[in-house]
Amino acid sequence: VYTVRRMSIRLGGAHTRVLRPSDIFVQNVDSTALLDGVKRALLADNGCRTAEELAEKTCINLEEVFLTPNVSVDPSGVTFIYQPYEIACYAGGAPRVTLPMAQVRRWLRPGIEKLFPPEEP
């Protein structure tokens, strides 16, 4: 058995610490929309159009997908990392889903958003 923990760390003297989802997202984050984004990304990342196709191909049941607290943020976006068995069979490894910065920016805390300025056209 193994686990995967990806961390975003706030550097800054005595305030160095691992960021939790509540440090990254605003308090009134639309968790339903965020979860929908994760589900759509799982479909797209696996080249599937339907939940049934995804389940057959990866053993991931979209009805069992949830927002994991194992998240990190970087310039590409916010990555949700699931442990083996959380949403898929063990052979599927640790599924990762990255939502692009443009999609999640509105839910990021102001201090986090400043670390990743908007991409220039």
Side-chain angles (χ1 to χ4, degrees):
V1 176
Y2 72 91
T3 61
V4 175
R5 182 152 188 232
R6 187 167 173 194
M7 298 181 286
S8 289
I9 300 174
R10 179 183 179 272
L11 300 176
H15 296 90
T16 299
R17 65 185 175 92
V18 175
L19 296 175
R20 300 171 311 224
S22 60
D23 297 320
I24 296 171
F25 296 108
V26 293
Q27 186 174 0
N28 61 344
V29 62
D30 185 346
S31 57
T32 301
L34 203 53
L35 181 57
D36 287 345
V38 167
K39 290 179 179 182
R40 281 192 306 276
L42 279 167
L43 288 168
D45 291 352
N46 289 287
C48 299
R49 288 185 285 189
T50 66
E52 294 77 18
E53 187 180 358
L54 181 69
E56 186 176 306
K57 189 174 183 179
T58 67
C59 299
I60 296 174
N61 178 348
L62 283 183
E63 295 298 319
E64 296 176 6
V65 174
F66 59 96
L67 290 177
T68 178
N70 193 13
V71 300
S72 67
V73 62
D74 61 39
S76 65
V78 176
T79 301
F80 296 83
I81 302 147
Y82 296 89
Q83 304 302 330
Y85 289 123
E86 278 191 317
I87 63 170
C89 60
Y90 186 80
R96 296 167 186 246
V97 179
T98 300
L99 298 182
M101 190 57 70
Q103 186 177 347
V104 297
R105 184 175 303 281
R106 66 182 175 261
W107 296 312
L108 297 179
R109 287 196 174 271
I112 299 297
E113 184 179 4
K114 290 177 189 173
L115 298 174
F116 306 103
E119 296 177 5
E120 296 191 22

